[in-house]
Coordinates of all heavy atoms in Angstrom, one line a residue:
M1 N 21.0 36.5 34.0 CA 20.1 35.3 34.0 C 20.5 34.3 33.0 O 20.5 33.1 33.2 CB 18.7 35.7 33.9 CG 18.1 36.0 35.2 SD 16.5 35.3 35.2 CE 15.8 35.7 36.6
G2 N 20.7 34.7 31.7 CA 21.0 33.7 30.7 C 19.8 33.3 29.9 O 18.6 33.6 30.3
F3 N 20.0 32.7 28.8 CA 18.9 32.3 28.0 C 18.5 30.8 28.3 O 19.2 30.1 28.8 CB 19.2 32.4 26.5 CG 20.5 31.7 26.1 CD1 20.4 30.5 25.6 CD2 21.7 32.3 26.2 CE1 21.6 29.8 25.2 CE2 22.9 31.7 25.9 CZ 22.8 30.4 25.4
L4 N 17.2 30.5 27.9 CA 16.7 29.2 28.3 C 17.2 28.1 27.3 O 17.1 28.3 26.1 CB 15.1 29.3 28.1 CG 14.3 28.2 28.9 CD1 14.7 28.2 30.4 CD2 12.9 28.4 28.8
M5 N 17.8 27.0 27.8 CA 18.3 26.0 27.0 C 17.6 24.7 27.3 O 17.3 24.5 28.5 CB 19.8 25.8 27.2 CG 20.6 27.1 26.8 SD 22.3 27.0 27.3 CE 22.9 25.4 26.6
T6 N 17.3 23.8 26.4 CA 16.8 22.5 26.6 C 17.9 21.4 26.5 O 18.7 21.4 25.6 CB 15.6 22.2 25.7 OG1 14.6 23.2 25.8 CG2 15.0 20.8 25.9
H7 N 17.9 20.5 27.5 CA 18.9 19.4 27.5 C 18.1 18.1 27.8 O 17.0 18.1 28.2 CB 19.9 19.6 28.7 CG 20.6 20.9 28.8 ND1 21.7 21.3 28.1 CD2 20.2 22.0 29.5 CE1 22.0 22.5 28.4 NE2 21.1 23.0 29.2
N8 N 18.8 17.0 27.5 CA 18.3 15.7 28.0 C 19.2 15.2 29.1 O 20.4 15.3 29.0 CB 18.3 14.7 26.8 CG 17.1 14.8 25.9 OD1 16.8 16.0 25.6 ND2 16.5 13.8 25.5
C9 N 18.5 14.7 30.2 CA 19.3 14.3 31.4 C 20.1 13.1 31.0 O 19.7 12.1 30.3 CB 18.3 13.8 32.4 SG 19.0 13.2 33.9
A10 N 21.4 13.1 31.5 CA 22.4 12.1 31.2 C 22.0 10.8 32.0 O 22.4 9.7 31.6 CB 23.8 12.5 31.7
K11 N 21.1 10.8 33.0 CA 20.7 9.6 33.7 C 19.4 9.1 33.1 O 19.3 7.9 32.7 CB 20.5 10.0 35.2 CG 20.0 8.9 36.0 CD 20.9 7.7 36.2 CE 20.3 6.7 37.2 NZ 20.6 5.4 36.8
C12 N 18.3 9.9 33.1 CA 17.0 9.3 32.7 C 16.5 9.7 31.3 O 15.6 9.3 30.9 CB 15.9 9.9 33.7 SG 15.6 11.7 33.6
D13 N 17.3 10.5 30.6 CA 17.1 11.0 29.3 C 15.8 11.9 29.1 O 15.4 12.1 28.0 CB 17.0 9.8 28.3 CG 17.4 10.2 26.8 OD1 18.2 11.1 26.7 OD2 16.7 9.6 25.9
E14 N 15.3 12.3 30.2 CA 14.1 13.2 30.1 C 14.7 14.7 29.8 O 15.7 15.1 30.3 CB 13.4 13.3 31.4 CG 12.6 12.0 31.8 CD 11.5 11.8 30.8 OE1 10.7 12.7 30.5 OE2 11.4 10.7 30.4
P15 N 13.9 15.4 28.9 CA 14.2 16.8 28.7 C 14.1 17.7 29.8 O 13.1 17.5 30.6 CB 13.4 17.1 27.5 CG 12.2 16.2 27.6 CD 12.7 15.0 28.2
F16 N 14.9 18.7 30.0 CA 14.7 19.7 31.1 C 15.4 21.0 30.6 O 16.1 21.0 29.6 CB 15.4 19.2 32.4 CG 16.9 19.1 32.3 CD1 17.7 20.1 32.9 CD2 17.5 18.0 31.8 CE1 19.1 20.0 32.9 CE2 18.9 17.9 31.7 CZ 19.7 18.9 32.3
E17 N 15.0 22.1 31.2 CA 15.5 23.3 30.8 C 16.3 24.0 31.8 O 16.1 23.8 33.0 CB 14.3 24.3 30.5 CG 13.4 23.8 29.3 CD 12.2 24.7 29.0 OE1 11.8 25.4 29.9 OE2 11.8 24.7 27.8
T18 N 17.3 24.8 31.4 CA 18.1 25.6 32.3 C 18.3 27.0 31.7 O 18.0 27.2 30.5 CB 19.5 25.0 32.5 OG1 20.2 25.0 31.2 CG2 19.5 23.6 33.0
R19 N 18.7 27.9 32.5 CA 18.9 29.3 32.1 C 20.4 29.5 31.9 O 21.1 30.1 32.7 CB 18.4 30.3 33.1 CG 16.9 30.3 33.1 CD 16.4 31.7 33.2 NE 15.0 31.8 33.1 CZ 14.3 32.1 32.0 NH1 15.0 32.3 30.9 NH2 13.0 32.1 32.0
G20 N 20.9 28.9 30.8 CA 22.4 29.1 30.5 C 23.4 28.3 31.3 O 24.6 28.4 31.0
R21 N 22.9 27.6 32.3 CA 23.8 26.7 33.2 C 24.2 25.5 32.5 O 23.4 24.9 31.8 CB 23.1 26.4 34.5 CG 23.0 27.5 35.5 CD 22.5 26.9 36.8 NE 22.3 25.6 37.0 CZ 21.1 25.0 37.5 NH1 20.2 25.8 37.9 NH2 21.0 23.7 37.5
K22 N 25.5 25.1 32.6 CA 25.9 23.9 32.0 C 25.6 22.8 33.0 O 26.2 22.8 34.1 CB 27.3 23.9 31.7 CG 27.8 22.6 31.0 CD 29.2 22.6 30.6 CE 29.5 21.2 30.0 NZ 30.9 21.1 29.7
T23 N 24.7 21.9 32.8 CA 24.4 20.8 33.7 C 24.0 19.6 32.9 O 23.5 19.8 31.7 CB 23.3 21.2 34.7 OG1 23.1 20.1 35.6 CG2 22.0 21.5 34.1
V24 N 24.2 18.4 33.4 CA 23.8 17.2 32.6 C 22.7 16.4 33.2 O 22.2 15.5 32.6 CB 25.1 16.3 32.3 CG1 26.1 17.0 31.5 CG2 25.7 15.9 33.6
Y25 N 22.3 16.8 34.4 CA 21.2 16.0 35.1 C 20.0 16.9 35.4 O 20.1 18.1 35.7 CB 21.7 15.4 36.4 CG 22.9 14.5 36.2 CD1 24.1 14.9 36.6 CD2 22.7 13.3 35.6 CE1 25.3 14.0 36.4 CE2 23.8 12.4 35.4 CZ 25.0 12.8 35.8 OH 26.1 12.0 35.6
C26 N 18.8 16.4 35.2 CA 17.6 17.1 35.4 C 17.3 17.4 36.9 O 16.5 18.3 37.2 CB 16.4 16.4 34.7 SG 16.0 14.8 35.5
S27 N 17.9 16.6 37.8 CA 17.5 16.8 39.2 C 18.7 16.3 40.1 O 19.6 15.6 39.6 CB 16.3 16.0 39.6 OG 16.5 14.6 39.5
D28 N 18.7 16.7 41.4 CA 19.7 16.2 42.3 C 19.6 14.7 42.5 O 20.6 14.0 42.6 CB 19.5 16.8 43.7 CG 20.0 18.3 43.7 OD1 20.9 18.6 42.9 OD2 19.5 19.0 44.6
L29 N 18.4 14.1 42.3 CA 18.1 12.7 42.5 C 18.9 12.0 41.3 O 19.6 11.0 41.5 CB 16.7 12.3 42.4 CG 16.4 10.8 42.4 CD1 17.0 10.1 43.7 CD2 14.9 10.6 42.4
C30 N 18.7 12.4 40.0 CA 19.4 11.8 38.9 C 20.9 12.0 39.0 O 21.6 11.0 38.7 CB 18.9 12.4 37.6 SG 17.4 11.7 37.0
R31 N 21.3 13.1 39.5 CA 22.8 13.3 39.7 C 23.3 12.4 40.7 O 24.4 11.8 40.6 CB 23.1 14.8 40.1 CG 24.5 15.1 40.2 CD 24.8 16.5 40.3 NE 24.2 17.2 41.4 CZ 24.8 17.3 42.6 NH1 26.1 16.8 42.8 NH2 24.2 17.8 43.6
F32 N 22.6 12.2 41.8 CA 23.0 11.3 42.9 C 23.0 9.8 42.4 O 24.0 9.1 42.5 CB 22.0 11.4 44.1 CG 22.2 10.4 45.1 CD1 23.3 10.6 46.1 CD2 21.4 9.3 45.3 CE1 23.5 9.7 47.1 CE2 21.7 8.4 46.3 CZ 22.7 8.6 47.2
E33 N 21.9 9.4 41.7 CA 21.8 8.0 41.2 C 22.9 7.7 40.1 O 23.2 6.6 39.9 CB 20.4 7.8 40.6 CG 19.4 7.6 41.7 CD 18.0 7.4 41.2 OE1 17.8 7.5 40.0 OE2 17.1 7.1 42.0
A34 N 23.4 8.7 39.4 CA 24.4 8.4 38.4 C 25.7 8.1 39.0 O 26.6 7.7 38.3 CB 24.6 9.7 37.5
N35 N 25.9 8.3 40.3 CA 27.2 8.1 41.0 C 27.3 6.8 41.8 O 28.2 6.7 42.5 CB 27.5 9.3 41.9 CG 28.0 10.5 41.2 OD1 29.1 10.4 40.6 ND2 27.3 11.5 41.2
Y36 N 26.4 5.9 41.6 CA 26.5 4.6 42.2 C 26.1 3.5 41.2 O 25.3 3.7 40.3 CB 25.8 4.5 43.5 CG 24.3 4.6 43.6 CD1 23.6 3.5 43.3 CD2 23.7 5.8 43.9 CE1 22.2 3.6 43.3 CE2 22.4 5.8 44.0 CZ 21.6 4.8 43.7 OH 20.3 4.9 43.8
K37 N 26.7 2.3 41.5 CA 26.4 1.1 40.6 C 25.3 0.3 41.4 O 25.5 -0.1 42.5 CB 27.6 0.3 40.5 CG 27.4 -0.9 39.7 CD 28.7 -1.7 39.6 CE 28.5 -3.0 38.9 NZ 29.8 -3.8 38.9
V38 N 24.2 0.1 40.7 CA 23.1 -0.6 41.4 C 23.1 -2.1 40.9 O 23.0 -2.3 39.7 CB 21.7 0.1 41.2 CG1 20.6 -0.7 41.7 CG2 21.7 1.4 41.7
S39 N 23.1 -3.0 41.8 CA 22.9 -4.4 41.4 C 21.5 -4.7 41.0 O 20.6 -4.0 41.5 CB 23.3 -5.3 42.7 OG 23.0 -6.6 42.5
K40 N 21.3 -5.6 40.2 CA 19.9 -6.0 39.9 C 19.2 -6.6 41.1 O 17.9 -6.6 41.2 CB 19.9 -7.0 38.7 CG 20.3 -6.4 37.4 CD 20.1 -7.3 36.3 CE 20.8 -6.8 35.1 NZ 20.0 -6.2 34.1
N41 N 19.9 -7.1 42.1 CA 19.3 -7.6 43.3 C 19.2 -6.5 44.3 O 20.2 -6.0 44.7 CB 20.2 -8.8 43.8 CG 19.6 -9.4 45.0 OD1 18.8 -8.8 45.7 ND2 20.0 -10.6 45.3
P42 N 18.0 -6.1 44.7 CA 17.9 -5.0 45.7 C 18.5 -5.3 47.0 O 18.6 -4.4 47.9 CB 16.4 -4.8 45.8 CG 15.8 -6.0 45.3 CD 16.7 -6.7 44.3
D43 N 18.8 -6.6 47.3 CA 19.4 -6.9 48.6 C 21.0 -6.8 48.6 O 21.6 -6.9 49.6 CB 19.0 -8.3 49.1 CG 17.5 -8.4 49.3 OD1 16.9 -7.4 49.9 OD2 16.9 -9.5 49.0
E44 N 21.5 -6.6 47.4 CA 23.0 -6.5 47.4 C 23.4 -5.0 47.5 O 22.6 -4.1 47.5 CB 23.5 -7.0 46.0 CG 23.3 -8.5 45.9 CD 23.8 -9.1 44.5 OE1 24.3 -8.3 43.7 OE2 23.6 -10.2 44.3
C45 N 24.7 -4.8 47.8 CA 25.2 -3.5 47.9 C 25.1 -2.6 46.7 O 25.2 -3.1 45.6 CB 26.7 -3.5 48.3 SG 27.0 -4.1 50.0
W46 N 24.8 -1.4 46.8 CA 24.7 -0.4 45.8 C 26.1 0.4 46.0 O 26.1 1.2 47.0 CB 23.6 0.5 45.8 CG 22.2 -0.2 45.7 CD1 22.0 -1.5 45.4 CD2 21.0 0.5 45.8 NE1 20.7 -1.7 45.4 CE2 20.0 -0.6 45.6 CE3 20.5 1.7 46.0 CZ2 18.6 -0.3 45.6 CZ3 19.2 2.0 46.1 CH2 18.2 1.0 45.8
V47 N 27.0 0.2 45.2 CA 28.4 0.8 45.4 C 28.5 2.1 44.9 O 28.3 2.4 43.7 CB 29.5 -0.1 44.8 CG1 30.8 0.4 45.1 CG2 29.3 -1.5 45.4
W48 N 28.8 3.1 45.8 CA 29.1 4.5 45.4 C 30.3 4.6 44.6 O 31.4 4.1 44.9 CB 29.2 5.4 46.6 CG 29.4 6.8 46.4 CD1 30.6 7.5 46.5 CD2 28.5 7.8 46.0 NE1 30.4 8.8 46.2 CE2 29.1 9.0 45.8 CE3 27.1 7.6 45.6 CZ2 28.4 10.1 45.5 CZ3 26.4 8.8 45.2 CH2 27.1 10.0 45.1
L49 N 30.2 5.3 43.4 CA 31.3 5.5 42.5 C 31.8 6.9 42.4 O 32.8 7.1 41.7 CB 30.9 5.0 41.0 CG 30.4 3.6 40.9 CD1 29.9 3.3 39.5 CD2 31.5 2.6 41.3
G50 N 31.2 7.8 43.1 CA 31.6 9.2 43.1 C 32.7 9.4 44.1 O 33.5 8.5 44.4
S51 N 32.9 10.7 44.5 CA 33.9 11.1 45.5 C 33.9 10.3 46.8 O 32.8 10.0 47.2 CB 33.9 12.6 45.7 OG 34.0 13.3 44.5
V52 N 35.1 10.2 47.4 CA 35.2 9.4 48.6 C 35.9 10.4 49.6 O 36.9 11.0 49.3 CB 35.9 8.1 48.4 CG1 36.1 7.4 49.7 CG2 35.2 7.3 47.5
S53 N 35.4 10.5 50.8 CA 36.1 11.3 51.9 C 37.3 10.6 52.4 O 37.6 9.4 52.1 CB 35.1 11.5 53.0 OG 34.9 10.4 53.7
H54 N 38.0 11.3 53.3 CA 39.3 10.8 53.9 C 39.0 9.5 54.7 O 39.9 8.7 54.9 CB 40.0 11.8 54.7 CG 39.2 12.2 56.0 ND1 38.1 13.1 55.9 CD2 39.2 11.8 57.2 CE1 37.5 13.2 57.1 NE2 38.2 12.5 57.9
N55 N 37.8 9.3 55.2 CA 37.5 8.1 56.0 C 36.9 7.0 55.2 O 36.5 6.0 55.8 CB 36.6 8.5 57.3 CG 35.2 8.8 56.8 OD1 34.9 8.9 55.7 ND2 34.4 9.1 57.9
G56 N 36.8 7.1 53.9 CA 36.3 6.0 53.0 C 34.8 6.1 52.8 O 34.3 5.1 52.1
S57 N 34.1 7.1 53.2 CA 32.6 7.2 52.9 C 32.4 8.0 51.6 O 33.2 8.9 51.3 CB 31.9 7.9 54.0 OG 32.0 7.1 55.2
G58 N 31.3 7.6 50.9 CA 31.0 8.4 49.7 C 30.5 9.8 50.1 O 29.8 10.0 51.0
V59 N 30.9 10.8 49.3 CA 30.5 12.2 49.5 C 30.1 12.8 48.2 O 30.7 12.4 47.1 CB 31.5 13.0 50.3 CG1 31.6 12.5 51.7 CG2 32.8 13.0 49.5
F60 N 29.3 13.8 48.2 CA 29.1 14.6 47.0 C 28.5 16.0 47.4 O 28.1 16.2 48.5 CB 28.1 13.9 46.0 CG 26.7 13.9 46.5 CD1 25.8 14.7 45.8 CD2 26.2 13.0 47.5 CE1 24.4 14.7 46.2 CE2 25.0 13.0 47.9 CZ 24.0 13.8 47.2
K61 N 28.6 16.9 46.4 CA 28.2 18.3 46.7 C 26.7 18.4 46.3 O 26.3 18.1 45.2 CB 29.0 19.2 45.9 CG 28.9 20.7 46.3 CD 30.0 21.5 45.7 CE 30.0 22.9 46.2 NZ 31.1 23.7 45.7
L62 N 26.0 18.9 47.2 CA 24.5 19.2 47.1 C 24.3 20.7 47.2 O 24.4 21.1 48.4 CB 23.7 18.3 48.0 CG 22.2 18.4 47.8 CD1 21.8 17.9 46.5 CD2 21.5 17.6 48.9
G63 N 24.1 21.4 46.1 CA 24.1 22.8 46.3 C 25.5 23.3 46.6 O 26.5 23.1 45.9
T64 N 25.7 23.9 47.8 CA 27.0 24.4 48.2 C 27.5 23.6 49.4 O 28.6 23.9 49.9 CB 26.9 25.9 48.7 OG1 25.9 25.9 49.8 CG2 26.4 26.8 47.6
K65 N 26.8 22.6 49.7 CA 27.2 21.7 50.9 C 27.6 20.3 50.5 O 27.1 19.7 49.6 CB 26.0 21.6 51.8 CG 26.1 20.9 53.1 CD 24.8 20.9 53.9 CE 25.0 20.1 55.1 NZ 23.7 20.0 55.9
M66 N 28.7 19.8 51.2 CA 29.1 18.5 51.0 C 28.3 17.6 51.9 O 28.1 17.8 53.1 CB 30.6 18.3 51.3 CG 31.5 18.9 50.3 SD 31.4 18.4 48.7 CE 32.2 16.8 48.8
V67 N 27.8 16.5 51.3 CA 26.9 15.6 52.1 C 27.4 14.1 51.9 O 28.0 13.8 50.9 CB 25.4 15.7 51.7 CG1 24.8 17.0 52.0 CG2 25.2 15.3 50.2
K68 N 27.2 13.3 52.9 CA 27.5 11.9 52.9 C 26.5 11.2 52.0 O 25.3 11.3 52.2 CB 27.6 11.3 54.3 CG 28.8 11.9 55.1 CD 28.9 11.3 56.4 CE 30.1 11.9 57.1 NZ 30.3 11.4 58.5
A69 N 27.0 10.4 51.1 CA 26.1 9.7 50.1 C 25.2 8.7 50.8 O 24.0 8.6 50.4 CB 27.0 8.9 49.1
H70 N 25.6 8.0 51.8 CA 24.7 7.0 52.4 C 23.6 7.7 53.2 O 22.4 7.3 53.3 CB 25.5 6.0 53.3 CG 26.1 6.6 54.5 ND1 27.3 7.3 54.4 CD2 25.8 6.5 55.8 CE1 27.6 7.7 55.7 NE2 26.8 7.2 56.5
R71 N 23.9 8.9 53.8 CA 22.8 9.7 54.6 C 21.8 10.2 53.6 O 20.6 10.1 53.9 CB 23.5 10.8 55.4 CG 24.3 10.3 56.5 CD 24.9 11.4 57.3 NE 23.9 12.3 58.0 CZ 23.4 12.1 59.2 NH1 23.7 11.0 59.9 NH2 22.5 12.9 59.7
H72 N 22.3 10.7 52.5 CA 21.4 11.2 51.5 C 20.5 10.1 50.9 O 19.3 10.3 50.6 CB 22.2 11.9 50.4 CG 21.3 12.8 49.4 ND1 20.7 13.9 49.8 CD2 21.0 12.6 48.1 CE1 20.0 14.4 48.8 NE2 20.2 13.6 47.7
S73 N 21.0 9.0 50.6 CA 20.3 7.8 50.2 C 19.2 7.5 51.1 O 18.0 7.2 50.7 CB 21.2 6.6 49.9 OG 20.5 5.5 49.5
Y74 N 19.6 7.4 52.4 CA 18.5 7.1 53.4 C 17.4 8.2 53.4 O 16.2 7.8 53.4 CB 19.2 7.1 54.8 CG 18.3 6.7 55.9 CD1 18.2 5.3 56.3 CD2 17.5 7.6 56.6 CE1 17.4 4.9 57.3 CE2 16.7 7.2 57.6 CZ 16.6 5.9 58.0 OH 15.8 5.5 59.0
E75 N 17.8 9.5 53.3 CA 16.8 10.5 53.4 C 15.9 10.4 52.1 O 14.7 10.7 52.2 CB 17.4 11.8 53.5 CG 18.0 12.1 54.9 CD 18.5 13.5 55.1 OE1 19.3 13.9 54.2 OE2 18.2 14.1 56.1
L76 N 16.5 10.1 51.0 CA 15.7 10.0 49.7 C 14.7 8.9 49.8 O 13.6 9.1 49.2 CB 16.6 9.8 48.5 CG 17.4 11.0 48.0 CD1 18.4 10.5 46.9 CD2 16.5 12.1 47.4
T77 N 15.0 7.8 50.3 CA 14.1 6.6 50.3 C 13.3 6.4 51.5 O 12.2 5.9 51.4 CB 15.0 5.4 49.9 OG1 16.0 5.3 50.9 CG2 15.6 5.5 48.6
V78 N 13.9 6.7 52.7 CA 13.2 6.3 54.0 C 12.6 7.5 54.5 O 11.4 7.5 55.0 CB 14.2 5.7 55.0 CG1 13.5 5.4 56.3 CG2 14.8 4.4 54.4
G79 N 13.3 8.7 54.6 CA 12.7 9.9 55.1 C 13.7 10.7 55.9 O 14.9 10.2 55.9
P80 N 13.3 11.8 56.5 CA 14.3 12.6 57.2 C 15.0 11.9 58.3 O 14.4 11.0 59.0 CB 13.5 13.7 57.7 CG 12.2 13.7 57.0 CD 12.0 12.3 56.5
I81 N 16.2 12.2 58.6 CA 17.0 11.7 59.7 C 16.7 12.6 60.9 O 16.8 13.8 60.8 CB 18.5 11.7 59.4 CG1 18.7 10.7 58.2 CG2 19.3 11.1 60.6 CD1 20.2 10.8 57.6
V82 N 16.3 12.0 62.0 CA 16.1 12.8 63.3 C 17.3 13.6 63.6 O 18.4 13.2 63.5 CB 15.6 11.9 64.4 CG1 14.3 11.2 64.1 CG2 16.6 10.9 64.8
P83 N 17.1 14.8 64.2 CA 18.3 15.6 64.6 C 19.2 14.8 65.6 O 18.7 14.1 66.5 CB 17.6 16.8 65.4 CG 16.3 16.9 64.8 CD 15.9 15.5 64.5
G84 N 20.5 14.8 65.3 CA 21.4 14.0 66.0 C 21.5 12.5 65.7 O 22.2 11.8 66.2
G85 N 20.6 12.1 64.7 CA 20.5 10.7 64.3 C 21.8 10.3 63.5 O 22.3 11.1 62.8
K86 N 22.2 9.1 63.7 CA 23.3 8.5 63.0 C 22.8 7.4 62.1 O 21.9 6.7 62.4 CB 24.4 8.0 63.9 CG 25.0 9.1 64.8 CD 26.2 8.6 65.6 CE 26.7 9.6 66.6 NZ 27.6 10.5 66.0
I87 N 23.4 7.3 60.9 CA 23.1 6.3 60.0 C 24.2 5.3 60.0 O 25.4 5.6 59.8 CB 22.9 6.8 58.6 CG1 21.8 7.9 58.5 CG2 22.6 5.7 57.5 CD1 20.4 7.4 58.9
Y88 N 23.9 4.0 60.2 CA 24.9 2.9 60.3 C 24.7 1.9 59.1 O 23.6 1.7 58.7 CB 24.8 2.2 61.6 CG 25.1 3.0 62.8 CD1 24.1 3.6 63.5 CD2 26.4 3.1 63.1 CE1 24.4 4.4 64.6 CE2 26.8 3.9 64.3 CZ 25.8 4.6 65.0 OH 26.1 5.3 66.0
H89 N 25.8 1.4 58.6 CA 25.7 0.3 57.6 C 25.5 -1.0 58.3 O 26.2 -1.2 59.3 CB 27.0 0.3 56.8 CG 27.2 1.4 55.9 ND1 27.8 2.6 56.3 CD2 26.9 1.5 54.6 CE1 27.9 3.3 55.3 NE2 27.3 2.8 54.2
I90 N 24.6 -1.9 57.8 CA 24.5 -3.2 58.4 C 25.3 -4.2 57.5 O 25.4 -5.3 57.8 CB 23.0 -3.7 58.5 CG1 22.3 -3.6 57.2 CG2 22.3 -2.8 59.5 CD1 20.9 -4.2 57.2
C91 N 25.9 -3.7 56.5 CA 26.8 -4.5 55.6 C 28.2 -3.9 55.9 O 28.4 -2.8 56.5 CB 26.5 -4.3 54.1 SG 26.7 -2.7 53.5
P92 N 29.3 -4.6 55.5 CA 30.6 -4.1 55.8 C 31.2 -3.1 54.8 O 32.3 -2.7 54.9 CB 31.5 -5.4 55.8 CG 30.8 -6.3 54.8 CD 29.3 -6.0 55.0
N93 N 30.4 -2.8 53.8 CA 30.9 -1.9 52.7 C 30.5 -0.4 53.0 O 29.4 0.0 52.9 CB 30.2 -2.3 51.5 CG 30.7 -1.7 50.2 OD1 31.5 -0.7 50.3 ND2 30.4 -2.2 49.1
K94 N 31.6 0.4 53.3 CA 31.4 1.8 53.6 C 30.8 2.6 52.4 O 30.3 3.7 52.5 CB 32.7 2.5 54.1 CG 33.0 2.2 55.5 CD 34.2 3.0 55.8 CE 34.1 3.5 57.2 NZ 35.3 4.3 57.6
L95 N 31.1 2.0 51.2 CA 30.6 2.7 50.0 C 29.2 2.3 49.5 O 28.7 2.8 48.5 CB 31.6 2.5 48.8 CG 33.0 3.1 49.0 CD1 33.9 2.8 47.9 CD2 32.9 4.7 49.2
C96 N 28.5 1.5 50.3 CA 27.2 1.0 50.0 C 26.2 2.2 50.3 O 26.3 2.8 51.4 CB 26.8 -0.2 50.8 SG 25.2 -0.8 50.4
V97 N 25.3 2.4 49.4 CA 24.2 3.4 49.5 C 22.8 2.8 49.4 O 21.9 3.4 49.3 CB 24.4 4.6 48.6 CG1 25.6 5.4 48.9 CG2 24.3 4.2 47.2
N98 N 22.8 1.4 49.5 CA 21.5 0.8 49.4 C 20.7 1.0 50.8 O 21.2 0.7 51.8 CB 21.7 -0.8 49.3 CG 20.4 -1.6 49.1 OD1 19.3 -1.1 49.5 ND2 20.5 -2.7 48.6
P99 N 19.6 1.6 50.7 CA 18.8 1.9 51.9 C 18.5 0.7 52.8 O 18.3 0.8 53.9 CB 17.6 2.7 51.4 CG 17.5 2.4 50.0 CD 18.8 2.1 49.5
R100 N 18.4 -0.5 52.1 CA 18.2 -1.7 52.9 C 19.3 -2.1 53.7 O 19.2 -3.0 54.7 CB 17.8 -2.8 51.9 CG 16.5 -2.7 51.2 CD 16.2 -3.8 50.4 NE 14.9 -3.7 49.7 CZ 14.3 -4.7 49.2 NH1 14.8 -5.9 49.1 NH2 13.1 -4.5 48.6
H101 N 20.5 -1.5 53.5 CA 21.7 -1.8 54.3 C 22.0 -0.7 55.3 O 23.1 -0.7 55.9 CB 22.9 -2.0 53.3 CG 22.8 -3.2 52.4 ND1 23.9 -3.6 51.7 CD2 21.7 -4.1 52.2 CE1 23.5 -4.7 51.0 NE2 22.2 -5.0 51.3
L102 N 21.1 0.2 55.5 CA 21.3 1.3 56.4 C 20.3 1.4 57.5 O 19.1 1.0 57.3 CB 21.2 2.7 55.6 CG 22.2 2.7 54.4 CD1 21.8 4.1 53.6 CD2 23.6 2.8 54.8
R103 N 20.7 1.8 58.7 CA 19.7 1.9 59.7 C 20.0 3.2 60.5 O 21.2 3.6 60.6 CB 19.7 0.7 60.7 CG 20.8 0.6 61.6 CD 20.6 -0.5 62.6 NE 21.5 -0.3 63.7 CZ 22.7 -1.0 63.8 NH1 23.1 -1.9 63.0 NH2 23.5 -0.7 64.9
C104 N 19.0 3.8 61.1 CA 19.1 5.0 61.8 C 19.0 4.8 63.3 O 18.1 4.1 63.7 CB 18.0 6.0 61.4 SG 18.1 7.7 62.1
E105 N 19.9 5.4 64.0 CA 19.8 5.3 65.5 C 20.0 6.7 66.1 O 20.6 7.6 65.5 CB 20.9 4.4 66.1 CG 20.7 3.0 65.8 CD 21.7 2.1 66.5 OE1 22.6 2.6 67.2 OE2 21.6 0.9 66.3

């Protein structure tokens, strides 16, 4: 199990504890948010700076699963995606994760 260690999150600077695991973020949300550049204008693109898939979409590992960054952003801010639902960008930027630029169909 390991011993309890206290760290400060690299994103929000809040203290958090782990059992010997090396991690720099207190939550999946902080880890996700650390991987994109947010404009001060909420209507502009939020550009994903993390890993990119072969088709040009942002991706990252959540637990043991690879997920698409724009889909995760939509679920974090809008809510669950219906089974079989597709998330489309209304802007031309495939690396945008701004939920205002995403729609579900």
